[in-house]
Amino acid sequence: ELKVEQNPLFLSMQEGKNYTIYCNYSTTSDRLYWYRQDPGKSLESLFVLLSNGAVKQEGRLMASLDTKARLSTLHITAAVHDLSATYFCAGLTGTASKLTFGTGTRLQVTL
Amino acid sequence: DAGVTQSPTHLIKTRGQQVTLRCSPKSGHDTVSWYQQALGQGPQFIFQYYEEEERQRGNFPDRFSGHQFPNYSSELNVNALLLGDSALYLCASSSPDRAGYTFGSGTRLTVV
């Protein structure tokens, strides 16, 4: 069964600095997703990574996937306060395409 | 184009009661999955419905059941509510190619 681990669990970031969130998964995953969740809100889709070496960028966020290492990273460039939220990675497995989520990384950007 | 719609938004129930949550998928999506998200945790897969049948189930007891209708909308039923069932329940719909999953805004269930 797929297990997904994220680290760190909590990240206090200074505005303007660069940081990386790591997502390790235990077995082969068909796809890797990144989501953002604001407090009390639902999940907003950020990226879908389909294959080894995939890299996607949107604004200050860049996600990459290394299937051989079973590792995905979410890199934040020049953090701003608006990026404060909880970020989840999730792997997709099985014929029913079940999403298995990591524990989440709570990001707090301070001045 | 409406996204995934869930109702109700919030719900307070007493232990032992039964609850029904509803979900309308995004237009063009035929598959509906339900997730439970306890406070401070990641969402946990409950089950998935496709062609009106339960296709896969997570580690949830039989108190959790569901249904999918011909128009692809879905219901999640929870019987004999426990305090531990208090959570945000998320519905996600997906298209046949499973390229993306769209989540609804969720139903916040509080069991007292």
Side-chain angles (χ1 to χ4, degrees), chain A residues 2-4 23-27 29 32 65-67 70-71:
Chain A
L2 176 66
K3 294 191 187 316
V4 179
C23 174
N24 292 91
Y25 54 97
S26 59
T27 64
S29 177
L32 200 291
L65 179 63
D66 181 343
T67 57
R70 294 178 184 161
L71 171 69

Side-chain angles (χ1 to χ4, degrees), chain A residues 31 33 35 37 40-43 48 88 92 95-99 101-103, chain B residues 35 37 41-43 45 48 55-56 88 90 97-99 101 103-105 108:
Chain A
R31 294 171 186 174
Y33 296 79
Y35 288 91
Q37 186 175 41
K41 304 294 185 183
S42 188
L43 297 168
V48 181
F88 291 96
L92 185 73
T95 53
S97 304
K98 159 189 166 182
L99 285 173
F101 284 83
T103 47
Chain B
Y35 291 82
Q37 187 178 22
Q41 297 183 20
F45 177 78
Q48 183 181 86
R55 190 156 68 165
Q56 188 174 350
L88 179 67
L90 295 166
D97 65 2
R98 311 285 180 263
Y101 287 77
F103 282 82
S105 55
R108 173 74 61 187

Side-chain angles (χ1 to χ4, degrees), chain B residues 16 19 77:
Chain B
V19 68
N77 300 293

Side-chain angles (χ1 to χ4, degrees), chain B residues 40-56:
Chain B
Q41 297 183 20
Q44 298 291 314
F45 177 78
I46 303 175
F47 43 53
Q48 183 181 86
Y49 277 85
Y50 171 70
E51 292 189 338
E52 301 180 50
E53 291 192 358
E54 183 182 292
R55 190 156 68 165
Q56 188 174 350

